[in-house]
Amino acid sequence: MRVTVCCSDTKAAPWIEALRAALPGAAVEEWRPGAPQADHAVVWAPPQQFLDEQPDLKGIFNIGAGVDALMKLALPRDAVVVRLDDAGMSVQMAEFVCHAVIRHFREFDAYERDAAQGKWGFRRPRLRSEFPVGVMGLGVLGARVAQALAAFEFPVLGWSRSAREVAGVRCFAGGAQFDNFLASTRVLVNLLPLTPDTENILDRATLGRLQPGGYLVNVARGAHVVDADLLALLDSGHLAGAALDVFRTEPLPAEHPFWRHPKITVTPHTSARTLRDESVTQIARKIAAFERGEPIAGVVDRKKGY
């Protein structure tokens, strides 16, 4: 079995070394133009040339949970595309989102500003019942985030394209229940996959349906947000703030107004980083199961885009 590794903007050598150890019977090599045909590929943002030169791939294993960039390419017709379904990312995402929500709810950002000015003072405690948190996207990451928030006794709602059940979460599904979900939400957490249907979904209409004083936490993709609409709603006061970890252009350009807006917290796409050891273990296990003809988790539906 031959496995090729093609990872743009990521050092391939550590992945190759780890995959060789995890798949001792396989020939694992970094892809070079003109390389021999491989059975499986481990990729991150591969160029189209790579896919054009590897038309006989059986499996393409993405070293991340999001496959939106991969779906924009012309893929080998018969290749199965597989994404990571956790690999240590869900606990990181839960940490990040809970921190962002609690920081806003407890007004720690205001206390930080006070401390910088040498001010000592208290704010009236808020009621959790008045801060329902809505999670958009209830896959592996979204479900973990929703349950983590519920542990802090926030009212937690979830919305997904198809019906899901998550313990401790009031679930909504489909377009018919979308408006009701938004109207019931004060803090919105976006964990949707990026597809043609979800691009620009966080626009003036959607965000405007949140309860007054709403707050946005975006940890999915920057292209979900219409930047100008978010800024307008923040400036009007309908939204109290936003914690943004992902952006249309990354790194976020120095001149972008998100950097300077007093109601926006910016972090550099760090909510859930790929952990190499956990990812290699998962990918190797999936490749071995695939070769045995067994079902594997994380197979991407090309029609849906995730």
Side-chain angles (χ1 to χ4, degrees):
M1 179 174 61
R2 182 180 293 275
V3 178
T4 185
V5 177
C6 181
C7 297
S8 301
D9 302 322
T10 300
K11 291 183 179 179
W15 288 88
I16 292 170
E17 181 180 356
L19 284 164
R20 285 172 176 168
L23 295 167
V28 183
E29 302 291 343
E30 183 175 6
W31 176 76
R32 297 278 187 253
Q37 289 292 304
D39 298 293
H40 300 285
V42 177
V43 304
W44 180 253
Q48 184 63 54
Q49 181 184 357
F50 165 75
L51 297 165
D52 292 343
E53 291 187 7
Q54 297 285 325
D56 298 326
L57 286 171
K58 294 186 288 184
I60 301 174
F61 294 81
N62 194 56
I63 61 171
V67 294
D68 45 287
L70 196 56
M71 291 294 100
K72 295 177 181 178
L73 302 175
L75 302 170
R77 185 185 62 184
D78 297 325
V80 174
V81 179
V82 185
R83 56 173 173 75
L84 292 178
D85 46 35
D86 192 333
M89 288 187 288
S90 66
V91 66
Q92 295 180 70
M93 191 66 79
E95 290 170 341
F96 185 96
V97 172
C98 286
H99 173 271
V101 172
I102 292 168
R103 181 173 182 265
H104 172 61
F105 171 69
R106 293 288 305 274
E107 298 186 87
F108 289 144
D109 51 349
Y111 283 117
E112 290 168 6
R113 291 193 296 270
D114 286 352
Q117 300 174 30
K119 292 183 179 179
W120 181 281
F122 299 100
R123 285 169 172 76
R124 177 178 296 180
R126 293 168 159 178
L127 299 176
R128 281 173 172 75
S129 61
E130 296 178 356
F131 279 79
V133 183
V135 178
M136 294 175 64
L138 292 175
V140 173
L141 300 183
R144 180 66 179 271
V145 165
Q147 291 180 312
L149 288 163
F152 287 100
E153 301 183 12
F154 289 103
V156 180
L157 306 83
W159 181 85
S160 53
R161 178 174 174 175
S162 55
R164 300 288 179 90
E165 291 186 7
V166 180
V169 178
R170 181 185 172 197
C171 293
F172 299 75
Q177 297 183 346
F178 189 48
D179 285 354
N180 191 17
F181 162 78
L182 294 170
S184 303
T185 295
R186 183 164 178 178
V187 179
L188 182 66
V189 179
N190 179 40
L191 274 158
L192 290 173
L194 181 62
T195 69
D197 289 337
T198 65
E199 186 172 359
N200 298 321
I201 193 171
L202 298 176
D203 60 5
R204 183 186 296 270
T206 296
L207 295 173
R209 293 189 186 102
L210 298 178
Q211 295 178 4
Y215 193 85
L216 173 66
V217 180
N218 188 24
V219 287
R221 289 291 186 265
H224 285 126
V225 177
V226 178
D227 294 359
D229 289 0
L230 172 59
L231 289 167
L233 289 167
L234 289 168
D235 291 341
S236 73
H238 181 73
L239 294 182
L244 307 178
D245 187 56
V246 288
F247 308 92
R248 289 179 177 271
T249 301
E250 296 182 359
L252 184 64
E255 67 276 9
H256 199 287
F258 283 172
W259 282 116
R260 296 175 296 280
H261 200 286
K263 295 182 180 180
I264 293 178
T265 299
V266 169
T267 50
H269 202 149
T270 192
S271 54
R273 304 295 296 273
T274 299
L275 303 179
R276 186 171 58 244
D277 290 346
E278 287 87 341
S279 300
V280 166
T281 298
Q282 184 182 132
I283 290 169
R285 185 173 65 247
K286 289 182 177 182
I287 289 175
F290 186 99
E291 287 292 311
R292 294 192 298 267
E294 299 172 1
I296 58 176
V299 174
V300 174
D301 183 329
R302 293 202 196 185
K303 292 182 180 179
K304 292 181 178 179
Y306 59 92

